[in-house]
Amino acid sequence: MIYMRISIILFLALSLLFSGNELLASEISIDKIDYSVGTSWARFPCNPDKSVDVFYVYPTVFGSKDSNNMDITLSEMREKVESSLLSQIGVYSGVANTYAPYYRQISGALIGNMKTLPETPYYKIAKSDVLDAFDYYIENYNHGKPFILAGHSQGSMLLIDAMKERMSDELAKRLVGAYLIGFSVLQSDIDKYSWMRSAKRSNDTGVIVSYNTQSSTAKGSPVLLKGAICINPLSWRTDSQKVSKEENFGAVFFDSDGKVTKDIPKYCGAYIDLKSGALITQPPEKLYIGIFPDGVYHLYDYTFWYRNLQRNVEERVDAFAAKHE
C-alpha cells in the first residue's frame, strides 16, 4: 500500500489562472503516502554505508493539463522520475546515501504565478508529501547522521518550504549543505530564519547553494524572483566576477533514459548579475529550452556545472567531517 486512507475526497471547482491557463474542476485525494513502505521511495539505500545522507526531491517531470497532481502509482510517471534522478543524483550519490521520496508534484502546466501557487490545494498536496517524507526520514532513517538537502526546480521550491517549517537551529547542526538549485531562495528568508544561511565560499557548511542559469538577455524567468540569492558554481563566490570556461570541469549531458551522452570540460563560463540575482552564461550551441523564455537555461542548471557541483559536494562533506572530528 502506498496510501494510508484518511477517507476524505475534496471536489474542487476553481478558476485560478496560471500563465493564462484556467484550471478545470478536479477531484483531489488528500490521502497520506505511507513512507514506511519501500515503494514510496524512488531511491532508498539497501545498505546505507556512507557517513552522510542526501534527501533529494526531484524536479517537475509531470506536465499534464488534465490532472493537477502526479499519480505516483503509474509506471510511466515512475519512469520519468527515474530518468530525472539519473541525470542529477550522481552529483551526490558518490559520497551520500540517497533518499528520494515519490511525491504528488503539481503539474508543470499549472506553474506560472509563483506568488499565488503555494496557496493552491494542488501545491499543498505536493508540499505535504515532501514534509511527511522528510519527517519520516529524520525520525526513522537518519540516525543522527549529517545530511544534505538537494533538489531542482519544483523540488527546490518544496525544500525551501521544508527548511522554513521543519529545520531548526539544532537540526541545522547536522546539515552539510542545501543545494536548492533552479528556484529562488530569497534574501528575506535568509534574514528571517537563523538556520537559513547562504553559501559564501566553496567549503562553508550548513549553508544554501542556489542559482538560476540564464543568458544576459533573458527575461521573464518564472523561477527567478526578486531578491534571489546566487552563488557562482565555477568560483563559489557571490560577487559579479566573470569566471572563464577554463574553470568549468565538465558539463554533462544526459539522454531521456538518464544515460550520459556528452561530458564536455570547459563548456561555458559564468558570472552573477547582482541586480537580478541570475547566474549568467552563454553556451556555445543552440539548446532546447522547453517552455521557458528565450535564454532561460533552467533545464541545464545541473548539466552546465555538473562536475563542479560534484567536486563541491565532496569538498563540503570533507569540510563538515574535519569541523566535527
Side-chain angles (χ1 to χ4, degrees), residues 1-5 30-45 55-58 69-73 78 81 99-105 123-142 158-159 166:
M1 284 285 293
I2 289 181
Y3 297 124
M4 296 186 295
R5 283 283 173 191
I30 58 169
D31 299 345
K32 290 281 189 177
I33 295 177
D34 183 358
Y35 286 108
S36 70
V37 177
T39 52
S40 297
W41 296 84
R43 280 288 185 282
F44 185 88
F55 183 85
Y56 170 87
V57 183
Y58 52 84
N69 290 88
M70 184 175 78
D71 185 346
I72 65 170
T73 66
R78 291 185 168 229
V81 170
Y99 296 84
Y102 284 111
Y103 72 99
R104 292 165 291 187
Q105 67 177 209
Y123 182 82
K124 289 178 180 179
I125 288 174
K127 175 181 171 180
S128 177
D129 288 351
V130 171
L131 294 183
D132 287 348
F134 182 70
D135 288 344
Y136 198 87
Y137 158 72
I138 289 294
E139 292 169 9
N140 297 277
Y141 300 140
N142 177 258
L158 291 162
L159 282 173
R166 291 297 190 268

Side-chain angles (χ1 to χ4, degrees), residues 64-302:
S64 173
K65 293 182 179 179
D66 301 318
S67 180
N68 301 312
N69 290 88
M70 184 175 78
D71 185 346
I72 65 170
T73 66
L74 298 178
S75 59
E76 58 265 37
M77 290 294 98
R78 291 185 168 229
E79 289 171 3
K80 289 184 177 182
V81 170
E82 178 66 12
S83 177
S84 177
L85 277 166
L86 290 172
S87 67
Q88 296 183 352
I89 203 63
V91 165
Y92 311 100
S93 58
V95 294
N97 310 302
T98 306
Y99 296 84
Y102 284 111
Y103 72 99
R104 292 165 291 187
Q105 67 177 209
I106 189 171
S107 171
L110 308 182
I111 296 175
N113 189 338
M114 295 300 179
K115 291 183 178 180
T116 59
L117 182 63
E119 300 307 314
T120 67
Y122 316 114
Y123 182 82
K124 289 178 180 179
I125 288 174
K127 175 181 171 180
S128 177
D129 288 351
V130 171
L131 294 183
D132 287 348
F134 182 70
D135 288 344
Y136 198 87
Y137 158 72
I138 289 294
E139 292 169 9
N140 297 277
Y141 300 140
N142 177 258
H143 303 301
K145 287 183 179 179
F147 64 94
I148 297 165
L149 295 178
H152 182 237
S153 191
Q154 184 172 169
S156 292
M157 187 178 185
L158 291 162
L159 282 173
I160 292 169
D161 286 331
M163 287 205 74
K164 293 177 182 178
E165 299 184 26
R166 291 297 190 268
M167 196 63 72
S168 64
D169 288 320
E170 188 61 31
L171 186 56
K173 292 178 182 178
R174 304 209 305 270
L175 180 66
V176 175
Y179 289 78
L180 308 182
I181 297 167
F183 195 73
S184 294
V185 177
L186 304 182
Q187 183 61 47
S188 57
D189 290 331
I190 300 293
D191 295 339
K192 182 176 181 180
Y193 299 94
S194 59
W195 54 84
M196 293 183 73
R197 299 184 293 118
S198 56
K200 302 296 184 183
R201 57 184 187 273
S202 65
N203 63 351
D204 45 1
T205 60
V207 294
I208 296 171
V209 170
S210 187
Y211 59 81
N212 291 279
T213 312
Q214 62 182 47
S215 73
S216 60
T217 58
K219 296 179 181 179
S221 171
V223 294
L224 180 62
L225 307 182
K226 185 177 181 180
I229 65 169
C230 183
I231 193 166
N232 189 328
L234 296 185
S235 64
W236 302 107
R237 295 166 61 116
T238 58
D239 57 25
S240 60
Q241 178 190 36
K242 292 187 177 182
V243 184
S244 78
K245 65 181 182 180
E246 302 299 316
E247 301 302 317
N248 190 324
F249 301 142
V252 181
F253 292 79
F254 296 81
D255 63 18
S256 58
D257 295 321
K259 296 179 181 178
V260 175
T261 58
K262 293 186 292 184
D263 190 337
I264 310 174
K266 305 178 183 180
Y267 184 75
C268 55
Y271 68 93
I272 298 172
D273 178 353
L274 296 179
K275 184 176 181 181
S276 67
L279 180 68
I280 304 298
T281 192
Q282 189 57 56
E285 58 187 322
K286 187 173 178 60
L287 297 168
Y288 171 76
I289 59 172
I291 63 171
F292 292 91
D294 288 345
V296 175
Y297 297 113
H298 181 71
L299 300 181
Y300 303 93
D301 282 326
Y302 271 74

Side-chain angles (χ1 to χ4, degrees), residues 4-39:
M4 296 186 295
R5 283 283 173 191
I6 297 180
S7 301
I8 302 176
I9 300 292
L10 298 180
F11 293 90
L12 300 171
L14 301 178
S15 297
L16 301 175
L17 294 179
F18 291 87
S19 300
N21 294 322
E22 185 173 311
L23 304 189
L24 302 178
S26 242
E27 178 184 281
I28 298 181
S29 168
I30 58 169
D31 299 345
K32 290 281 189 177
I33 295 177
D34 183 358
Y35 286 108
S36 70
V37 177
T39 52

